[in-house]
Amino acid sequence: MGKWILNPKKSSTASLCALILLTFISSARAQFRDTFESPQATWSLAAADAGVRVLAQERTFRQSRSGSGSEYLRLAIGTGTYVHLTYSLSKAPVIAELEPSLWVKADKPNLQLLVRVTLPRTTDRGTGKPITAILSGDTYTEVGNWQQLYVKDILKRLDGPELIRLRREFGPSVDVRGAQLDMLVINAYSNPGNVQIWIDD
């Protein structure tokens, strides 16, 4: 589900790990993939402004986009605007070629892929921790089918309109240098009711 730049000598090993493809394209191109072939579920319900219950969550081997397995969730959702499911990553430097992607299948439209970026050079005075930014990506439209969702132009957006927004909120000292991507997020909200989601590659 994601690709990173790795040492080319390790690319054969990295290609064995698979679901979240975080993509760096450079002269040394390789893939890190979380295949979701292991039995342990890894996505977490992190935040919501709607009432939500997790009715089911498992690694299933009855549905997959590639390989044998995927992660399945069934949620009961009330009225709101967001239900955030998260997947933590090792920190990846934000460079121009960074293009995270994820395959999703659902029985409702309008789910959206987002990423969280941490700014280690700027501290939130309220929490004492580095500030973070959430950048939105593609929206799911192909109901009942697998669809690959991307978050594109992360560096350009972070150093442009997002930086303006962050400086309005946190002050002119916000520094995006050294930014790191550390989390994938799915906004699973479509409309009130139950939703089924499968996640792979």
Side-chain angles (χ1 to χ4, degrees):
M1 162 182 170
K3 302 177 187 174
W4 335 78
I5 291 178
L6 299 172
N7 186 318
K9 295 180 180 179
K10 298 180 181 178
S11 60
S12 59
T13 300
S15 63
L16 298 175
C17 309
L19 158 68
I20 299 175
L21 296 174
L22 289 169
T23 305
F24 292 93
I25 302 171
S26 73
S27 58
R29 180 176 177 175
Q31 294 184 357
F32 174 84
R33 302 178 63 197
D34 176 357
T35 53
F36 288 43
E37 299 298 305
S38 66
Q40 183 64 44
T42 50
W43 285 80
S44 300
L45 174 62
D49 67 351
V52 57
R53 288 183 296 131
V54 179
L55 302 178
Q57 181 176 10
E58 63 177 347
R59 285 292 176 86
T60 179
F61 297 93
R62 298 183 295 276
Q63 286 269 3
S64 66
R65 186 263 162 186
S66 66
S68 301
S70 65
E71 187 150 341
Y72 168 75
L73 297 101
R74 183 161 61 95
L75 308 175
I77 298 173
T79 301
T81 60
Y82 70 89
V83 172
H84 284 175
L85 306 173
T86 61
Y87 182 103
S88 295
L89 302 164
S90 298
K91 294 177 180 178
V94 174
I95 61 173
E97 295 80 9
L98 178 64
E99 194 171 274
S101 69
L102 173 70
W103 286 89
V104 172
K105 178 180 177 180
D107 60 359
K108 288 186 176 181
N110 300 323
L111 282 67
Q112 187 174 32
L113 177 62
L114 310 98
V115 295
R116 187 181 76 175
V117 174
T118 296
L119 307 183
R121 292 174 178 261
T122 307
T123 300
D124 183 337
R125 294 178 181 176
T127 65
K129 297 179 180 180
I131 67 172
T132 60
I134 300 293
L135 300 176
S136 59
D138 293 339
T139 298
Y140 180 76
T141 58
E142 300 177 16
V143 176
N145 296 305
W146 288 101
Q147 180 179 347
Q148 191 172 22
L149 306 179
Y150 289 88
V151 182
K152 298 182 178 181
D153 299 322
I154 293 175
L155 182 59
K156 182 186 294 186
R157 293 162 61 189
L158 189 62
D159 200 26
E162 186 63 16
L163 178 57
I164 294 171
R165 187 194 70 78
L166 289 169
R167 285 180 171 171
R168 285 174 179 164
E169 182 176 354
F170 296 101
S173 63
V174 172
D175 188 346
V176 298
R177 291 176 298 169
Q180 300 169 327
L181 187 151
D182 62 4
M183 184 175 288
L184 295 182
V185 182
I186 296 174
N187 182 0
Y189 187 84
S190 175
N191 51 47
N194 291 0
V195 60
Q196 297 186 92
I197 307 166
W198 292 263
I199 306 167
D200 201 359
D201 288 338

